[in-house]
Amino acid sequence: MKKIFTIFTLLGALMLSSCGKEEPFYSEVVELAGEWKVTVDQVDASGNVIGENLVGTIDLLTYNTVANTNEMWLDDLKNFWSTKIKVSVDVQNSTFTCNGYTDEYLKGTEYEYQATITDGKINYDGTKSPLGHVVDEIVFTIQFSDAPGEYYRFHGYRRTGFDQGAD
């Protein structure tokens, strides 16, 4: 009985000593990463809206790359142009751009194209969700090489996580 008690005591001590606190991993772009609800407008070269809300509200993701540098993925989850592109990020100014990045979803196919993003910005507490919560805003203009002369402005808000239908 004494041996069993000793074994359990040692196992318990070993388990408690292995419960060290680990520091959480934060990517370089953690402040810009998120799930977004966006709408897409067609704009002219000057940024004037010529077609509003082309596809309704769609989901968009921004997240870190494997390299964990000043780049992030921008992914429309195939909801608009099947766009998954890597953008350069200025974390301090909350801006992002890309110049002629080939879309990951279509790389190597006959439909391959390149995307250019300008005016990419995340404005913290910059807008309100449909239910009135103050949330972060995302906005950028994108041009696709397979549609020269056409520009699209994505704009929307960071998903709040509230399970109330619209957020």
Side-chain angles (χ1 to χ4, degrees), residues 3-68:
K3 284 183 182 182
I4 293 174
F5 178 74
T6 304
I7 290 173
F8 280 117
T9 302
L10 287 173
L11 285 175
L14 181 62
M15 288 173 58
L16 287 175
S17 68
S18 68
C19 293
K21 183 178 179 186
E22 290 187 32
E23 292 298 316
F25 169 77
Y26 292 107
S27 73
E28 292 292 319
V29 298
V30 67
E31 296 296 321
L32 306 177
E35 182 180 343
W36 306 88
K37 299 290 187 179
V38 297
T39 56
V40 183
D41 297 335
Q42 187 170 7
V43 296
D44 63 19
S46 299
N48 300 309
V49 176
I50 56 177
E52 288 187 66
N53 197 0
L54 301 178
V55 291
T57 301
I58 62 171
D59 292 326
L60 177 85
L61 297 178
T62 54
Y63 50 94
N64 65 294
T65 64
V66 172
N68 193 29

Side-chain angles (χ1 to χ4, degrees), residues 70-110:
N70 62 342
E71 297 177 318
M72 73 177 175
W73 289 108
L74 189 142
D75 188 345
D76 77 355
L77 303 168
K78 300 182 180 181
N79 287 317
F80 179 65
W81 210 278
S82 294
T83 304
K84 180 180 178 182
I85 54 176
K86 203 179 293 185
V87 297
S88 298
V89 174
D90 179 343
V91 176
Q92 187 174 9
N93 293 310
S94 306
T95 59
F96 55 94
T97 61
C98 90
N99 188 9
Y101 188 84
T102 302
D103 174 76
E104 288 293 312
Y105 286 130
L106 301 174
K107 216 176 235 184
T109 71
E110 63 183 287

